[in-house]
Amino acid sequence: MADIKDPENTIIIELKDGPVVVELLPDVAPKHAERMKELARAGKYDNVAFHRVIDGFMAQTGDVAHANMESGWNPGRAGTGGSDLPDLPAEFSKLPHDRGTLGAARSANPNSANSQFFINFSDNHFLNGQYTVYGRVISGMEHVDRITRGEPPAQPDRMISVKVAADA
C-alpha cells in the first residue's frame, strides 16, 4: 500500500481486488474533501455500487440514496441520488482530470455535486474546469482498472468499505 503522508486526508476504498488509496486535496477543494470524509465516517459509501463505468473514460459511484447494494438497492434509480446533506458549490481549479483523479459528479448545475464521484481511467482533459477535482489515487489504480464496465453494469462492482486512513 502507498506511503500515507496525511492520514486525515487519505481515503481507503476497499474493492473486490484490493484497496485503493486516495489522497484528498483539501487545499484545492476543501468542501468536497470534507464531504467525502464525512460520508465515509458515517459508513454511507460502504456497499455502494459503481453504477456507470465507461471503458477508457471513468468509473462513477457514490449514490448513497439508491446504490447501496445491501440496503435500498434500486438499480433503476442508481445514479440519480445523493446524500441528505446540501449540495456543494463548485470548487473548480487548474488541476487537470488526469488518470486516477477523483472528480465530483453533478447534474448540469455546476453547484449540484453531493455524494457521487468518479475516478478517471485516462486523462480526460475535456472535463478540465467543468468538474471539481478533489483527490487522486496514489495506490491501487490496478484495482480500479478491473471494475466491471457498463451503464449500468449487469453485475456491478461495489465499494466494499470506505474509510478515512486516520480511522482505519
Side-chain angles (χ1 to χ4, degrees):
M1 201 151 32
D3 181 27
I4 295 173
K5 295 177 180 65
D6 181 2
E8 181 56 30
N9 287 299
T10 302
I11 297 288
I12 301 170
I13 303 171
E14 194 64 42
L15 299 182
K16 71 180 185 317
D17 293 312
V20 177
V21 181
V22 176
E23 172 188 58
L24 294 176
L25 304 169
D27 52 329
V28 174
K31 290 177 174 60
H32 286 77
E34 193 56 43
R35 173 65 54 86
M36 183 163 216
K37 292 189 295 185
E38 182 177 0
L39 292 172
R41 285 189 161 123
K44 299 288 187 182
Y45 283 132
D46 296 353
N47 293 303
V48 172
F50 284 90
H51 65 270
R52 183 171 176 244
V53 186
I54 304 170
D55 199 35
F57 180 29
M58 58 90 217
Q60 186 171 335
T61 185
D63 179 349
V64 301
H66 306 299
N68 184 317
M69 296 180 74
E70 299 293 321
S71 166
W73 171 234
N74 186 336
R77 295 199 60 202
T80 64
S83 73
D84 54 4
L85 300 169
D87 288 347
L88 296 168
E91 294 179 296
F92 298 155
S93 70
K94 298 283 187 209
L95 281 182
H97 281 264
D98 288 339
R99 173 174 163 75
T101 54
L102 257 68
R106 60 172 177 78
S107 70
N109 176 349
N111 300 310
S112 64
N114 188 294
S115 63
Q116 292 190 44
F117 64 93
F118 57 90
I119 303 171
N120 287 295
F121 286 131
S122 32
D123 293 349
N124 293 316
H125 294 171
F126 65 94
L127 300 174
N128 293 353
Q130 299 179 64
Y131 292 83
T132 300
V133 174
Y134 65 99
R136 67 173 61 97
V137 173
I138 58 172
S139 169
M141 193 62 196
E142 68 275 15
H143 307 314
V144 174
D145 288 335
R146 288 198 282 278
I147 294 170
T148 302
R149 304 319 198 243
E151 292 185 77
Q155 298 292 319
D157 286 327
R158 68 179 83 184
M159 296 184 288
I160 296 165
S161 72
V162 181
K163 306 224 176 317
V164 179
D167 305 338

